[in-house]
Amino acid sequence: QSVLTQPSSASGPPGQRVTISCSGNISNIGGSTVNWYQHLPGTAPKLLIYRNTQRPSGVPNRFSASKSGTSASLAISGLQSEDEAEYYCASWDDSLNVVIFGGGTKVTVL
Amino acid sequence: EVQLVESGGGLVQPGGSLRLSCAASGFTFDDFAMHWVRQCPGKGLEWVSAISWNSADRVQADSVKGRFTISRDSVKNILYLQMDSLRVEDTALYFCARDKKILYGSGTYLDFWGPGTLVTVAS
């Protein structure tokens, strides 16, 4: 069972906005930064968001994220078919002294 | 161009051992901490282990503690994962990933990943 809690799935038609939540506690999200990864089966996971809100170069600005207290969220606006993937939040946990991932959210474009 | 390429996966019997390698290129290997992350069949990403830039600090997930050992060779630019006492539940696709910092910890994020190598533990 993941220490970070995400919904298992999210969906929307092309062009829609989808949000994914990630809930943790004071030892992880509350005391560190949150990162988001995109993973398509058979490929290397890709860093999507780092340090709560920052996008690496090359990541479209359709992807945005925020953090408040012990929770974070990822938003995908203008949903496109290529956005179909699994999305994971992750953070360092100071209590466990490990990196922890959320369980992943599968995004489907209807 | 940053490249990470894992190798060494395969089929092994329960109780057996395997050593995974991750060849790094396109960046100064000594400037970054490194991680192993796995994905078991039908499951999500699970962090396995991390090592600091100079090998002075290492940490593992409880699920592999005492069985898996992470190490690195700064001459060959290779990250390793020695896996002993393998269990069926260790069956997974294993990824190596680069940390943006020299030492993992608060603020850690993994900015480049390899495509993975498959480990199957079965009799």
Side-chain angles (χ1 to χ4, degrees), chain A residues 8-37:
Chain A
S8 59
S9 64
S11 62
Q16 189 78 288
R17 175 184 169 93
V18 166
T19 61
I20 300 168
S21 61
C22 176
S23 176
N25 59 43
I26 192 68
S27 296
N28 40 70
I29 293 178
S32 185
T33 54
V34 179
N35 311 302
W36 293 88
Y37 300 92

Side-chain angles (χ1 to χ4, degrees), chain A residues 23-72:
Chain A
S23 176
N25 59 43
I26 192 68
S27 296
N28 40 70
I29 293 178
S32 185
T33 54
V34 179
N35 311 302
W36 293 88
Y37 300 92
Q38 180 191 58
H39 189 210
L40 285 81
T43 68
K46 174 185 174 183
L47 177 66
L48 200 63
I49 298 285
Y50 66 97
R51 292 182 183 163
N52 304 324
T53 61
Q54 305 301 302
R55 279 189 312 273
S57 61
V59 173
N61 59 11
R62 303 185 292 104
F63 294 92
S64 62
S66 63
K67 172 191 151 180
S68 178
T70 59
S71 295

Side-chain angles (χ1 to χ4, degrees), chain B residues 11-90:
Chain B
L11 175 63
V12 61
Q13 293 188 337
S17 297
L18 212 54
R19 188 177 80 160
L20 305 184
S21 299
C22 171
S25 61
F27 64 100
T28 303
F29 190 58
D30 288 351
D31 284 350
F32 300 89
M34 298 293 294
H35 298 249
W36 286 99
V37 177
R38 70 184 182 184
Q39 183 176 35
C40 300
K43 303 292 185 181
L45 298 176
E46 178 191 7
W47 176 84
V48 174
S49 187
I51 186 169
S52 63
W53 68 284
N54 61 355
S55 303
D57 297 278
R58 311 170 200 222
V59 65
Q60 308 84 33
D62 282 347
S63 57
V64 305
K65 199 166 287 184
R67 301 187 300 120
F68 290 11
T69 303
I70 191 171
S71 63
R72 61 193 295 163
D73 185 326
S74 292
V75 174
K76 298 179 179 178
N77 289 351
I78 298 178
L79 175 73
Y80 298 104
L81 185 67
Q82 177 66 41
M83 304 186 296
D84 299 318
S85 303
L86 280 161
R87 304 168 180 169
V88 170
E89 55 264 36
D90 294 319

